[in-house]
Amino acid sequence: MGRVTHNTHSRPSGDASRVALIACAVAAAGMLLFPLAALGRGFSADAVLLHLSGSVLNLASNQQAPQAAPGSALILGWATLALIVATLIGAVRRAGWFWITGLLATVLAVAAVLVLDSGLAAQIERVAADSTLRAGAKRQLRNFYDGGGMNLGLFLPMLAGLIAAGAGLSARPWVLDRFNRMRGLLVPVSAITLAVLVGAVVVLVVQPIVNPSGRELTLWQGWLAKSDVVYFVYSTLFAPVTRLSPLLSSLKLATPLIFTGLSVAFAFRTGLFNIGAPGQLTMGAIGAMLMGVYGPPSLGWALLPLSVLAAAAGGALWGAIPGLLKARFGSSEVINTIMLNYVASAVFIFMIGSDSFPFLGKTYPLPFKAPGFEAKSQELQQAAQLPTLLDVFNVGPAGGGYVLSIGIVVAVVALLVARPLLKAVKNGGLIAIVVALAAGALTWRIGIPANINGSQLNASFLIALACVALFGTLMWRTATGYALRAVGLSPRAAEYGGISVARGTILAMTLAGMFAGLAGTHYVNGGALDEYRLKGNMPVNVGFDGIAVALMGQNTPTGVVLASLLFGTVDTGGVDVDQQLDGVNKDIVTVLKALIVLFIAAGGFLSRRLVDPPPPQLVAATDKTGTDDGGKLSPGVAAQQASTPSPNVGQSSEENTREGGK
């Protein structure tokens, strides 16, 4: 009996097995229905497609280009398919070994990709060595082969194998415990997945087949070409993470989203809905401009931090007003923040829209607008300008290109290593930070050459990361943060416990406005709009994008950073999609963002059993007996537990109080 119990307990959970089953079924079907790889791709997304069967579909505009040999990629592909099918069978039986076959499937899929890449690299070398080709033809062929690589037929089993490996390892209690801690990721991950699927349908509908070869296609060939378009769109959207220059562009677009996402998330955590991030950003930018342009030059280096503080103060003021109105009069912060957005916009236009204004029959000059027809302020003093990150981390000789310091990477690695080792030591966190700073300082002058022309990503990104740390520390490491969260969960219970709800409301909205106001430093002090000025084309709509970022990031500082990076990446990749396809443009990014928010609002269509699972004792008892009888409590024990409820963290305190009173 003991042996049976042990074997049953070592089986993966039912939910994990079902997830692995679905992932492997999709991967197996994808390997048969989609192209395995592209043996080359032109600028207009025309490609030479390789299927698992070994057939090649040449849709390239250059039909005379020699085809790269797939090598052993087909053999590895069939072996991957066999392992995916084995993993699927193991998931159906809830076998304890299917994590091994899933992991092996991922390894073989990666090996197939490496083989393909080596074949394409060899083809590029042959082109370079061909003396009969002109320089322009060589460059075109190099780009053609460089655009090849894996397709859906290899990407899906690679991903499914990883999912199955994690699902199979859920039989280990320590793995299951860590997975349970990450259940908060289920909603955003499922929302992104659903948004990608719906977006794929949109691409299939609006984008015609890319076939400059002019050849007639059968129904099967047309399907392969259509599915390749879907993969091309998404691989292009997420391509910036693989190259340095586009990655820096993605971080540049993500920086203001981090600020505004933190603003909305901070308010959400305290039970408030801040829709005033656009106005708070505007007032922060105005504050930064006023100090940066008109601050006394005698301040010297202090002008920059004062300009940053002025941006924080401008946003904080615009956040404190609706907080005060709600605390004093009970008025809705939603309405007040929306109205203040219009007021901030009017102030913005008034200051830089004209160099004079009429009042009571007289015309008065305004000093803020720079000469010319464009709506922009005077340029900030050089002391108030933020440097670019390339300049901050460049340790190479002046004018000799960029040599980026490895100090920041070493510091992060040192922190990740030292923090767990010093967990049991008093003030271990502080010691780990000191160790990381020392490691970064010692290796700061060691650099790696970077082939990059430049980037407008500026030091406001570092300010954004500092705000992330401030958010996390204040909200979860201080008594003030505890009080703010208590007000957000249940104002009545917080007030009963001696917490001032009015003070918490004002403080929360003030800090939320401060985060949004600091986003102004990215545009004004950082010169993200090509000039160190307050400009009329400042994209204040990123304040509304902060709502989507906060929702996707589950109102956590780390989640906000990751969501911002995702949005910044697809925004950058969307430009390339717009250039290379006719039917699909960068508006697909807007569609994806809207779908993500929609599916997050719908909870990812996940059942409550997944997002808010039953107690582990009940699950364990059900797994052992096959029924839920083992999890039932005696009347006496049930009455005792009912008198001292342990609320689920997924519920609000109002719900818990209401349920406890029934």
Side-chain angles (χ1 to χ4, degrees):
M1 186 63 159
R3 184 172 65 252
V4 173
T5 301
H6 173 76
N7 290 339
T8 305
H9 182 66
S10 64
R11 299 171 68 191
S13 68
D15 290 335
S17 298
R18 280 188 287 273
V19 170
L21 172 63
I22 295 172
C24 290
V26 171
M31 294 191 73
L32 298 174
L33 295 176
F34 301 134
L36 192 72
L39 301 180
R41 189 181 297 277
F43 178 79
S44 300
D46 50 308
V48 179
L49 302 178
L50 173 68
H51 187 256
L52 184 62
S53 62
S55 62
V56 176
L57 176 61
N58 190 349
L59 301 176
S61 56
N62 184 4
Q63 292 285 304
Q64 285 72 41
Q67 294 181 8
S72 57
L74 289 175
I75 299 175
L76 292 171
W78 281 108
T80 302
L81 177 60
L83 286 172
I84 287 293
V85 173
T87 307
L88 191 152
I89 295 173
V92 171
R93 298 179 177 180
R94 290 181 61 188
W97 48 261
F98 75 75
W99 69 271
I100 300 176
T101 54
L103 188 59
L104 288 176
T106 297
V107 172
L108 288 185
V110 172
V113 173
L114 294 177
V115 168
L116 281 168
D117 289 344
S118 64
L120 293 170
Q123 196 72 9
I124 292 175
E125 291 179 1
R126 283 192 287 269
V127 169
D130 192 344
S131 59
T132 63
L133 294 174
R134 294 178 293 105
K138 286 186 177 183
R139 183 171 58 252
Q140 185 178 9
L141 283 175
R142 281 198 303 268
N143 293 335
F144 177 76
Y145 294 120
D146 190 54
M150 71 173 176
N151 211 292
L152 283 172
L154 282 176
F155 174 76
L156 290 177
M158 190 186 304
L159 180 62
L162 288 176
I163 294 173
L169 286 172
S170 66
R172 277 69 174 171
W174 63 275
V175 176
L176 183 61
D177 177 63
R178 281 160 177 76
F179 281 168
N180 283 331
R181 294 180 183 179
M182 296 189 295
R183 281 185 183 267
L185 297 176
L186 287 175
V187 172
V189 169
S190 62
I192 294 173
T193 303
L194 290 172
V196 168
L197 292 176
V198 176
V201 175
V202 173
V203 173
L204 287 173
V205 172
V206 303
Q207 174 61 44
I209 294 173
V210 180
N211 181 21
S213 67
R215 61 184 297 179
E216 292 288 336
L217 301 181
T218 64
L219 185 62
W220 169 246
Q221 291 173 334
W223 165 251
L224 289 178
K226 272 282 191 179
S227 58
D228 174 65
V229 169
V230 173
Y231 179 76
F232 172 77
V233 168
Y234 283 112
S235 61
T236 305
L237 285 178
F238 293 99
V241 298
T242 63
R243 292 173 292 167
L244 182 58
S245 293
L247 178 60
L248 294 178
S249 298
S250 300
L251 293 177
K252 172 193 167 186
L253 296 177
T255 299
L257 292 176
I258 295 175
F259 285 115
T260 57
L262 291 175
S263 175
V264 176
F266 195 90
F268 276 158
R269 281 286 175 183
T270 59
L272 300 169
F273 198 174
N274 179 27
I275 313 185
Q280 294 152 12
L281 186 158
T282 301
M283 297 307 295
I286 291 174
M289 181 274 293
L290 291 176
M291 178 57 68
V293 174
Y294 303 103
S298 58
L299 291 174
W301 63 266
L303 193 61
L304 176 57
L306 287 176
S307 182
V308 173
L309 290 176
L317 172 64
W318 229 241
I321 294 173
L324 179 62
L325 293 175
K326 183 177 181 64
R328 180 65 180 86
F329 303 105
S331 56
S332 170
E333 77 278 8
V334 174
I335 297 175
N336 290 331
T337 51
I338 291 176
M339 293 298 102
L340 283 173
N341 286 339
Y342 291 104
V343 177
S345 177
V347 173
F348 177 68
I349 295 173
F350 172 78
M351 292 184 67
I352 65 172
S354 177
D355 54 6
S356 63
F357 74 99
F359 184 70
L360 297 179
K362 294 184 178 181
T363 300
Y364 298 89
L366 284 175
F368 308 111
K369 183 179 180 300
F373 65 91
E374 188 178 354
K376 60 183 181 181
S377 71
Q378 303 285 345
E379 187 175 26
L380 269 67
Q381 301 176 50
Q382 189 171 2
Q385 298 174 7
L386 285 169
T388 65
L389 281 193
L390 288 179
D391 291 333
V392 171
F393 294 109
N394 184 27
V395 294
Y402 291 104
V403 180
L404 301 183
S405 171
I406 65 170
I408 186 68
V409 177
V410 173
V412 171
V413 172
L415 180 62
L416 294 176
V417 173
R419 186 66 184 92
L421 296 177
L422 299 173
K423 190 174 183 180
V425 179
K426 185 179 180 180
N427 297 325
L430 181 60
I431 297 175
I433 293 175
V434 173
V435 170
L437 292 176
L442 291 174
T443 58
W444 184 260
R445 299 303 304 176
I446 302 175
I448 300 176
N451 184 17
I452 187 171
N453 295 325
S455 170
Q456 292 178 322
L457 176 64
N458 55 75
S460 63
F461 179 72
L462 301 180
I463 300 175
L465 296 183
C467 289
V468 170
L470 174 62
F471 186 125
T473 303
L474 177 64
M475 189 62 73
W476 284 282
R477 300 288 182 180
T478 65
T480 300
Y482 177 83
L484 291 175
R485 285 185 287 121
V487 171
L489 287 172
S490 177
R492 291 184 180 179
E495 191 171 13
Y496 182 79
I499 298 173
S500 173
V501 176
R503 183 167 50 194
T505 300
I506 297 174
L507 178 61
M509 288 301 297
T510 300
L511 292 176
M514 179 197 73
F515 287 133
L518 284 170
T521 61
H522 176 67
Y523 298 110
V524 178
N525 301 86
L529 299 177
D530 301 324
E531 293 182 276
Y532 295 95
R533 305 171 186 264
L534 178 66
K535 302 185 69 175
N537 62 344
M538 186 174 65
V540 295
N541 61 299
V542 298
F544 292 119
D545 290 341
I547 300 175
V549 168
L551 288 173
M552 184 176 170
Q554 298 292 281
N555 301 320
T556 62
T558 303
V560 165
V561 172
L562 295 178
S564 300
L565 293 179
L566 173 63
F567 283 7
T569 299
V570 296
D571 281 335
T572 304
V575 176
D576 292 335
V577 171
D578 195 11
Q579 292 176 345
Q580 295 178 281
L581 292 177
D582 297 328
V584 178
N585 54 34
K586 58 185 178 181
D587 289 339
I588 189 67
V589 175
T590 305
V591 173
L592 287 175
K593 290 179 181 178
L595 289 172
I596 290 173
V597 175
L598 173 65
F599 291 131
I600 286 180
F605 295 111
L606 296 175
S607 67
R608 183 167 182 141
R609 187 172 181 274
L610 284 175
V611 181
D612 186 14
Q617 296 86 350
L618 180 59
V619 175
T622 303
D623 263 356
K624 290 177 181 179
T625 63
T627 68
D628 61 355
D629 293 336
K632 291 182 179 178
L633 304 176
S634 65
V637 176
Q640 180 183 4
Q641 291 197 9
S643 62
T644 57
S646 178
N648 189 288
V649 295
Q651 289 180 304
S652 67
S653 58
E654 291 97 336
E655 292 175 338
N656 294 321
T657 304
R658 194 162 51 244
E659 292 176 1
K662 289 183 179 179

